[in-house]
Amino acid sequence: IVERLEDRFRLLASGSRSAIPRHQTLRAAIDWSYALLSADEQRLLDRLSVFGGGFTLEAAEATCATSPEETAAVLDVLARLVDRSLVVMREVGGSARYGLLETVRQYAAERLRARGEDEPLRRRHAAYFHELVAAAEPHLITAARRPWLDRIHAEIDNVRQALAWTRDADPAAHLRLTGRLCWFWFSTGFWAEGRRWSEDALAMPEAAAPTPARAATLFAAAVIACLQANAVQAQRWLE
C-alpha cells in the first residue's frame, strides 16, 4: 500500500460491485462531487492545487485570480468549496487558513494540467512566495524578526514548492530566492536543508555569472557551513 500511495486512484479501485457507481472507486466519488460544482468553483479548485501545506485568502487571490473580477470573487467561491467539503478551513492565530486534502489536491492538479494552466499558475505561485521572502529578508536580522520568521515558517511547504519549481523552470529566480532565505535557515535550525538548497543552486550552470544573486547564495552557503563547523568549506564559499 505504501508503495502505491502515489497512485491512490488506481489503488482504491476495488469497491463493492453491488454499490452505486460513485461508491465503487475513489475517483468515481470525486468525479461525482466535482461534477456538481459550477464552472467557477471547478476552476478555482483546480488552481488551488498548486499550494502545498495550505494557503491564506490573500495567497489564493494573488495566485489564482487572473482579473479584478476573479479576485473579487475568490472569497465567495472559496466559501462555497468549504461548504462542499472540498476545501478545509481552520483558524490559525486568529486568521483563516485553507487547504486541500491530498487526494483532492492530486485530482485537481490533474484537471489543472488538462486545462493547460499548470505552468502559469506555478509561476504566479512561485512569484507570490518569492515576494513574501523578499519582504521578510530585511527584518530577519533585526529584533522584529519573529513575526516574519513565523510567516515564512507557516508557508514553508509553499516556499519549498517555489524553490523546486524555479530550480527547473526559472534558474535565475531560483538563485535569487535561495540567497534571500539565508537568515531564515540560520534562525530556524534548518541548516542541512538550507545548505543543500544553496549548494545545489550554486551548482547550476546559470549560477556561474558574478551576479549579486550568486554572491548572496555563496554567503548563505558559507554561513550555514560555519554553523555546521565546516570552516574549510565556508572559507571556500566566502573567498
Side-chain angles (χ1 to χ4, degrees), residues 57-202:
L57 173 62
E58 178 188 22
E61 291 174 335
T63 302
C64 300
T66 59
S67 69
E69 294 75 20
E70 285 189 351
T71 301
V74 166
L75 177 58
D76 178 58
V77 179
L78 187 58
R80 299 202 307 261
L81 291 172
V82 172
D83 288 342
R84 288 157 174 73
S85 300
L86 288 166
V87 171
V88 178
M89 190 275 284
R90 68 183 190 279
E91 187 174 318
V92 179
S95 301
R97 189 166 181 85
Y98 303 87
L100 274 63
L101 297 178
E102 181 59 18
T103 301
V104 174
R105 193 196 67 78
Q106 288 189 17
Y107 179 92
E110 287 183 11
R111 295 283 184 170
L112 187 68
R113 288 191 292 271
R115 288 178 183 273
E117 294 187 358
D118 187 65
E119 194 277 338
L121 261 294
R122 294 197 178 279
R123 186 172 294 280
R124 289 205 294 273
H125 173 276
Y128 177 83
F129 289 101
H130 193 158
E131 288 174 6
L132 171 63
V133 171
E137 183 186 16
H139 303 280
L140 299 182
I141 53 172
T142 73
R145 67 181 176 274
R146 176 48 56 189
W148 289 98
L149 287 170
D150 291 344
R151 284 188 68 184
I152 299 177
H153 200 280
E155 302 292 358
I156 189 61
D157 288 330
N158 284 305
V159 171
R160 287 169 177 147
Q161 282 195 192
L163 283 165
W165 187 84
T166 54
R167 178 187 57 206
D168 299 328
D170 192 344
H174 180 72
L175 191 64
R176 292 193 299 273
L177 179 55
T178 304
R180 284 177 168 148
L181 283 164
C182 172
W183 297 114
F184 173 76
W185 304 127
F186 175 93
S187 300
T188 55
F190 292 168
W191 300 345
E193 180 178 4
R195 185 171 174 186
R196 184 173 66 252
W197 283 116
S198 301
E199 294 188 357
D200 287 352
L202 291 167

Side-chain angles (χ1 to χ4, degrees), residues 39-48 64 74 77-78 81:
D40 58 345
E41 290 166 352
Q42 291 178 349
R43 181 170 54 250
L44 181 60
L45 182 65
D46 295 349
R47 291 175 177 179
L48 293 173
C64 300
V74 166
V77 179
L78 187 58
L81 291 172

